[in-house]
């Protein structure tokens, strides 16, 4: 069975066909998200139409930015990275257009599903998946199934309050929260205050041998540990899977493993800390098997 898969992000829409357990004909198209939700939907329809003209498929699987009601395939909430996306009935729109069943899931949840079936989550029934990038995204697996909570939004780990002294809700609902300190964005922001040329993670690690830069990275790693400590004590997972491009740096994972365990109660130290295995294909692979997880 061929399945059309899309991973809709703020920057790019990754697409491909899932056939016999593998992704083929993988492409990447600019999302142009600043043009709004309707434009993004039209981009998705154009991409799918192009594939349809070349290859038949029997289902559509969508991984997308935003909070998602997977039962109805609707965007519950999306921030201004995709203006006007909130409320979009993506499942209904695509099924009416292409006359095949469609499944829709939040991108971090889809990536976690991908990791559970194909990647670092294989063999674990109880695990959490966190992605460190623009913010901090999360997903929870319990008894081998994705836990979505009362309104399909569980795993918003980026909203854990780690710095209450910096909490100013009226100005920013995420003030004092985990993602304001532990995201890659937070690391780059601090590094840029030291040297404006340190404008992304790659540039930071190119100068990692400089003591001041290493100190910035080490402090940021501690911020990651503060949130992980809470998550592990709260959920008692077998494994914490960490994703995002910054986790490709061996030093980060090495230091997390070394410094996390002294911060957690001894009876919780069986938890494994693993790097996400599927990279930027995790969302597409998760989208490919959404229909099997319902």
């Amino acid at each position: 069975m061929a399945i059309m898969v899309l991973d809709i992000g703020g920057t790019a829409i990754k697409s491909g066909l899932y056939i016999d357990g593998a992704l083929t004909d993988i492409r990447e198209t600019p999302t142009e998200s600043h043009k709004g939700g309707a434009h993004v939907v039209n981009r998705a329809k154009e991409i799918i139409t192009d594939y349809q003209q070349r290859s038949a498929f029997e289902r559509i699987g969508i991984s997308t930015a935003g909070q998602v009601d997977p039962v109805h395939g609707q965007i519950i909430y999306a921030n201004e990275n995709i203006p006007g996306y909130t409320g979009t009935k993506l499942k209904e729109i695509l099924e009416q257009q292409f006359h095949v069943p469609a499944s829709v899931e939040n991108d971090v949840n889809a990536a976690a599903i991908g990791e559970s079936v194909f990647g670092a989550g294989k063999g674990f029934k109880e695990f959490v998946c966190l992605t460190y990038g623009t913010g901090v995204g999360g997903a929870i697996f319990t008894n081998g199934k994705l836990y979505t909570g009362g309104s399909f939004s569980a795993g918003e780990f980026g909203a854990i309050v780690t710095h209450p002294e910096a909490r100013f809700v009226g100005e920013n609902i995420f003030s004092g929260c985990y993602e304001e300190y532990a995201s890659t964005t937070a690391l780059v922001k601090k590094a840029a205050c030291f040297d404006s040329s340190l404008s992304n993670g790659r540039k930071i690690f190119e100068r990692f041998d400089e003591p001041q830069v290493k100190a910035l990275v080490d402090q940021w790693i501690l911020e990651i540990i503060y949130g992980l400590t809470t998550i592990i004590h709260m959920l008692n997972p077998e494994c914490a899977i960490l994703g995002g491009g910054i986790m490709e740096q061996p030093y980060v994972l090495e230091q997390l493993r070394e410094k996390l365990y002294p911060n957690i109660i001894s009876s919780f130290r069986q938890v494994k800390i693993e790097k996400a295995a599927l990279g930027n294909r995790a969302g597409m692979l998760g989208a490919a098997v959404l229909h099997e997880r319902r």
Side-chain angles (χ1 to χ4, degrees):
M1 178 172 70
I3 301 173
M4 176 77 236
V5 295
L6 267 69
D7 184 5
I8 301 172
T11 302
I13 300 174
K14 294 182 284 290
S15 58
L17 290 171
Y18 178 81
I19 303 172
D20 297 329
L23 289 171
T24 64
D25 197 4
I26 297 170
R27 309 176 199 172
E28 194 166 303
T29 308
T31 309
E32 297 180 342
S33 57
H34 63 282
K35 295 183 179 179
H39 176 80
V40 172
V41 172
N42 285 332
R43 289 290 261 185
K45 286 160 69 173
E46 289 168 2
I47 292 166
I48 296 171
T49 297
D50 189 61
Y51 276 88
Q52 191 178 47
Q53 290 170 352
R54 303 161 185 257
S55 306
F57 51 81
E58 298 172 45
R59 304 189 70 92
I60 298 171
I62 304 290
S63 161
T64 180
Q67 295 176 3
V68 174
D69 171 351
V71 176
H72 299 100
Q74 183 171 347
I75 309 302
I76 301 171
Y77 171 78
N79 62 25
E80 286 308 301
N81 288 337
I82 308 181
Y85 200 38
T86 298
T88 300
K89 298 179 179 180
L90 202 51
K91 173 180 169 70
E92 180 181 309
I93 291 167
L94 296 179
E95 287 183 344
Q96 288 180 355
Q97 178 84 15
F98 298 103
H99 309 291
V100 297
S103 300
V104 184
E105 184 56 270
N106 162 265
D107 51 4
V108 180
N109 286 346
I113 291 168
E115 291 288 346
S116 75
V117 177
F118 304 100
K122 287 178 70 174
F124 295 111
K125 287 191 172 182
E126 308 286 334
F127 71 88
V128 292
C129 191
L130 292 98
T131 302
Y132 297 85
T134 305
V136 177
I140 302 166
F141 261 71
T142 182
N143 196 28
K145 295 182 179 180
L146 179 71
Y147 175 73
T148 57
S151 61
F152 310 109
S153 302
E156 193 66 69
F157 297 138
I160 294 172
V161 177
T162 55
H163 288 265
E165 75 284 356
R167 187 87 170 133
F168 301 101
V169 178
E171 297 175 15
N172 175 12
I173 194 66
F174 283 98
S175 60
C177 288
Y178 190 38
E179 73 171 38
E180 294 283 291
Y181 297 87
S183 62
T184 305
T185 300
L187 171 62
V188 173
K189 186 176 179 180
K190 276 209 165 184
C193 289
F194 166 69
D195 184 334
S196 60
S197 70
L198 298 174
S199 56
N200 57 50
R202 178 181 54 79
K203 291 181 179 179
I204 291 169
F205 278 89
E206 284 174 354
R207 292 174 54 185
F208 182 70
D209 289 339
E210 298 178 25
Q212 299 98 322
V213 175
K214 182 179 181 296
L216 285 168
V217 172
D218 286 342
Q219 180 57 45
W220 170 74
I221 288 171
L222 286 177
E223 295 290 353
I224 293 177
I225 288 168
Y226 296 154
L228 274 179
T229 299
T230 298
I231 292 163
I232 288 166
H233 284 142
M234 184 182 297
L235 297 173
N236 190 25
E238 300 171 90
C239 181
I241 299 169
L242 311 182
I246 201 77
M247 291 299 161
E248 297 299 322
Q249 296 291 337
Y251 179 81
V252 176
L253 204 65
E254 170 194 308
Q255 288 296 297
L256 285 171
R257 285 171 172 156
E258 179 181 320
K259 294 177 179 176
L260 173 68
Y261 293 103
N263 281 276
I264 56 180
I265 298 168
S266 58
S267 55
F268 288 75
R269 291 178 189 167
Q270 84 296 332
V271 63
K272 298 184 186 308
I273 306 300
E274 300 290 347
K275 184 182 75 171
L278 303 177
N280 64 8
R281 297 189 179 186
M284 286 193 289
L285 285 165
V289 296
L290 286 177
H291 67 287
E292 299 173 11
R293 313 293 291 190
R294 296 289 180 251

